[in-house]
Amino acid sequence: MAMRFILLGGPGAGKGTQAKILADRYGVPQISTGDMLRAAVKAGTPLGREAKTHMDSGGLVPDEVVIGLIDERLDQKDAGRGFILDGFPRTVAQAEALKRLLNRKDMGLDGVVSIDVDDEELVQRLGGRLTCQGCGAMFHKVFTPPAKEGVCDTCGGALYQRNDDKEETIRERLATYHRQTAPLVDFYKTEGALKSVSGLGGIEDITNRIMSALEN
Ligand code: AMP
């Protein structure tokens, strides 16, 4: 089944975690602009150098940069079978550009699922978050610790705290989210594509909520 959908939600809502699981279930790639940008930062490309300043301050990378990344990514062969967008779109301008891109590529969307979590919970989650350098899997110091400290359960890679998961950047990311990304909920409501699920509870429960929202 070709499944094409967007996961919306604040930073720390569980988009990445759920996108990885759902990518497996549906056999489609997770397309995360955050992961793509972090890869560019790591590789030290000009795009990565430009992106880093925005990422480290908790703001957004310019629309035209991420729209260009997505335009190219959607043309790759694996995306022909469907995709899960995680962290894109993040502004109304990006959502409008995506709509034009998908029309041009003759691709329809099956849905937009918003994973709802309140701010205080997001702050707690981001503050203790650990990310695997190897595969990008996420853990939490208190809520979901890895079996062995500092080591990824999935791939054995080293866990680190993302620069933007530091206390001083978290509040800024939330402010950015409310200012620039939260309006997308209304955008997709108007488009008639929006489904909302609670992002509280066990990972598996949330996966099931998203799947039934998409399939009903
Ligand atoms: P994420 O991994 O989705 O939390 O993204 C980490 C950071 O990358 C964000 O705080 C932004 O600075 C940047 N970023 C990721 N996706 C986008 C996007 N669609 N538009 C603008 N900036 C983005």
Side-chain angles (χ1 to χ4, degrees):
M1 167 170 43
M3 259 293 190
R4 301 187 195 100
F5 59 95
I6 299 172
L7 291 181
L8 285 183
K15 298 184 299 294
T17 299
Q18 294 298 332
K20 283 185 181 60
I21 297 170
L22 293 162
D24 233 42
R25 299 273 170 96
Y26 290 120
V28 299
Q30 166 198 16
I31 299 182
S32 155
T33 40
D35 286 349
M36 293 161 86
L37 293 167
R38 277 185 291 279
V41 170
K42 203 168 163 189
T45 63
L47 186 148
R49 280 199 296 274
E50 186 196 345
K52 189 175 190 312
T53 53
H54 300 286
M55 295 168 81
D56 286 351
S57 68
L60 295 182
V61 172
D63 286 335
E64 58 277 14
V65 173
V66 286
I67 292 165
L69 285 177
I70 287 289
D71 189 3
E72 282 180 20
R73 182 66 186 84
L74 293 180
D75 287 338
Q76 285 172 26
K77 195 157 172 252
D78 61 344
R81 308 199 32 230
F83 49 77
I84 303 170
L85 292 179
D86 155 18
F88 180 95
R90 243 182 170 94
T91 63
V92 171
Q94 290 178 23
E96 281 165 348
L98 176 66
K99 195 173 162 180
R100 287 191 296 273
L101 282 182
L102 292 176
N103 273 336
R104 197 177 78 220
K105 297 179 198 293
D106 229 347
M107 292 171 165
L109 270 187
D110 295 295
V112 179
V113 181
S114 162
I115 307 177
D116 298 340
V117 174
D118 67 50
D119 279 12
E120 280 322 304
E121 172 79 16
L122 292 178
V123 170
Q124 286 196 8
R125 289 187 186 183
L126 293 169
R129 190 157 85 163
L130 298 168
T131 303
C132 174
Q133 229 147 28
C135 71
M138 307 265 194
F139 299 86
H140 188 280
K141 285 176 191 165
V142 180
F143 307 142
T144 50
K148 185 163 176 246
E149 199 183 322
V151 181
C152 176
D153 288 355
T154 313
C155 78
L159 302 182
Y160 76 110
Q161 184 181 44
R162 273 170 45 178
N163 254 345
D164 58 348
D165 283 344
K166 306 236 155 92
E167 181 118 25
E168 55 281 16
T169 318
I170 292 175
R171 292 278 169 192
E172 193 48 44
R173 287 169 71 200
L174 276 178
T176 300
Y177 171 73
H178 285 292
R179 201 167 50 234
Q180 295 184 268
T181 308
L184 287 183
V185 168
D186 281 332
F187 178 91
Y188 285 115
K189 249 186 213 160
T190 311
E191 299 264 304
L194 189 84
K195 329 227 173 184
S196 295
V197 301
S198 160
L200 294 183
I203 290 176
E204 181 68 29
D205 295 330
I206 300 166
T207 305
N208 290 335
R209 280 176 215 149
I210 296 172
M211 290 180 76
S212 51
L214 282 169
E215 289 165 24
N216 291 320

